[in-house]
Amino acid sequence: MKALILGYGSIGKRHCEVLEALPQIDEICLVTNQDVVGKICYKSLEEVSNLDKFDYFVIATPTFLHLQNLKFLDEKVKDKIILCEKPLFEKFYDFTPKNNKIFVGYVLRFHPLLQKLKELLKNEKIFYINASCGQYLPSWRNGDYTKCYSASKEKGGGVLLDLSHELDYTMWLCGKFKSIKSFQDKVSNLQITSDDLCLIFGKTDNNVVANISIDYLSHMTHRNVRVECEASTYELNFIKGTLIKQDINRQIFNMPNLERNEMFLAMHKDVLGEQKYVCGFSEGQDTMGTIDQIQRQNNE
């Protein structure tokens, strides 16, 4: 298989590194302004004269370019596999691909403990889910945080889009939102034009009450989810790598030393294989629909 990666920032480099480890990928080319040793590089998609030779496309450009990239590819090639980094877009667009199979890179779905939690919840009546993620932006992004895309509302940055993993896996575990209330704003003195705090409260179509908080503010990095069920309580701490199931007994599942690229490798294998866990295009659009609701609630 031949792969074309669009964008060669930190996430594009990671995708390239992971794809190089897959035996079924025999050639990787890049769309980037950089000169990368050992790789054929194109300055733009328009420069790629033989697009049809590629079987797999990975879109790792800034979020605000995703729609343009997807439209171009869906018009120029057919029956290909396209993985677009999350979130799909910087805002909701009424776009439906006609010619290719498109997936969205919500890589947290490939955390072994989140997959274990999903499996355990199949036999539970879920009442409530509480998901939380926070990290101080200047210590999260390498270099000058004010120049990264996260800091720029115009480029599709901001905590709601950046940390939309929490929305995706909440809906993956508990169903789509049927009602939602939210608060989204920039509340700190960070030198950014994007939002740094978002609080979401709602109910899913499976009648699960959901509470999500995400921020760029916390000096104590955290990412965890608690699920209250009729028979059990579950708590997953992504940072520590622990999943606790508490009922009459207490079970602890550990995954403390997850390798840097392990989830990305599992995601690419799934996209090119069974497509069991990966976020499909319609699911990615459902998440964008929820993001759109939140953006409209807070811009009125």
Side-chain angles (χ1 to χ4, degrees):
M1 291 184 77
K2 301 185 188 311
L4 182 67
I5 300 173
L6 286 63
Y8 199 64
S10 60
I11 194 68
K13 287 173 185 170
R14 182 179 283 208
H15 282 297
C16 187
E17 192 181 320
V18 170
L19 289 180
E20 283 172 341
L22 288 177
Q24 64 264 54
I25 303 292
D26 52 40
E27 185 182 352
I28 302 168
C29 297
L30 308 170
V31 177
T32 175
N33 286 319
Q34 301 176 52
D35 292 318
V36 182
V37 177
K39 292 282 184 285
I40 296 172
C41 297
Y42 304 93
K43 299 295 182 190
S44 68
L45 262 177
E46 289 78 7
E47 271 191 29
V48 188
S49 58
N50 53 349
L51 265 179
D52 209 54
K53 83 165 187 175
F54 295 101
D55 311 287
Y56 188 29
F57 297 86
V58 178
I59 297 175
T61 52
T63 308
F64 75 100
L65 294 174
H66 288 182
L67 180 66
Q68 176 186 322
N69 298 150
L70 280 171
K71 278 186 169 178
F72 186 91
L73 289 174
D74 203 51
E75 286 171 9
K76 300 292 183 184
V77 297
K78 287 188 176 182
D79 303 321
K80 306 293 185 180
I81 299 173
I82 302 171
L83 176 70
C84 182
E85 256 305 325
K86 64 84 194 166
L88 257 178
F89 310 120
E90 80 281 8
K91 62 180 182 179
F92 184 84
Y93 291 105
D94 187 14
F95 167 71
T96 304
K98 295 181 173 64
N99 299 314
N100 300 280
K101 207 160 188 182
I102 297 173
F103 300 96
V104 188
Y106 281 107
V107 71
L108 212 56
R109 290 187 180 206
F110 293 89
H111 194 294
L113 292 180
L114 189 62
Q115 291 183 355
K116 181 67 176 176
L117 176 60
K118 183 171 176 63
E119 179 192 321
L120 291 168
L121 289 175
K122 281 180 185 173
N123 302 314
E124 297 277 10
K125 178 174 174 54
I126 307 170
F127 294 137
Y128 171 61
I129 183 168
N130 187 331
S132 177
C133 182
Q135 186 163 0
Y136 188 50
L137 184 63
S139 61
W140 180 21
R141 296 301 187 195
N142 294 326
D144 184 352
Y145 79 91
T146 65
K147 292 184 167 57
C148 72
Y149 87 92
S150 300
S152 171
K153 181 180 180 180
E154 299 70 30
K155 291 183 178 177
V159 77
L160 175 59
L161 292 164
D162 227 356
L163 299 178
S164 55
H165 285 289
E166 270 55 38
L167 274 176
D168 172 68
Y169 76 65
T170 293
M171 294 165 72
W172 191 49
L173 296 175
C174 302
K176 294 191 285 187
F177 281 95
K178 65 178 181 181
S179 63
I180 201 161
K181 300 286 184 187
S182 63
F183 172 86
Q184 177 202 19
D185 204 356
K186 178 184 180 292
V187 300
S188 73
N189 59 358
L190 290 171
Q191 295 174 49
I192 62 177
T193 59
S194 57
D195 54 301
D196 55 20
L197 176 65
C198 189
L199 307 174
I200 301 156
F201 185 73
K203 199 170 198 179
T204 75
D205 52 14
N206 293 335
N207 285 321
V208 177
V209 177
N211 185 27
I212 301 171
S213 67
I214 46 181
D215 70 76
Y216 285 158
L217 311 173
S218 183
H219 293 273
M220 296 178 67
T221 300
H222 60 279
R223 180 166 245 162
N224 43 58
V225 56
R226 193 176 78 253
V227 187
E228 302 290 357
C229 304
E230 189 169 48
S232 317
T233 294
Y234 297 87
E235 188 162 71
L236 169 51
N237 186 318
F238 289 98
I239 308 296
K240 290 182 179 176
T242 58
L243 170 64
I244 299 171
K245 177 184 180 182
Q246 182 71 56
D247 45 25
I248 303 169
N249 304 305
R250 186 179 180 89
Q251 276 182 283
I252 302 177
F253 307 90
N254 288 292
M255 186 71 62
N257 298 310
L258 204 60
E259 288 293 323
R260 178 178 179 269
N261 286 336
E262 196 171 320
M263 290 189 292
F264 282 84
L265 188 61
M267 178 171 67
H268 284 294
K269 284 180 176 177
D270 192 48
V271 172
L272 299 173
E274 291 182 46
Q275 299 169 354
K276 181 180 178 183
Y277 295 107
V278 67
C279 177
F281 182 83
S282 62
E283 291 176 296
Q285 275 290 55
D286 288 340
T287 299
M288 284 311 308
T290 303
I291 286 170
D292 182 60
Q293 257 191 291
I294 294 165
Q295 289 172 332
R296 283 188 285 109
Q297 283 179 5
N298 291 278
N299 289 325
E300 290 170 354

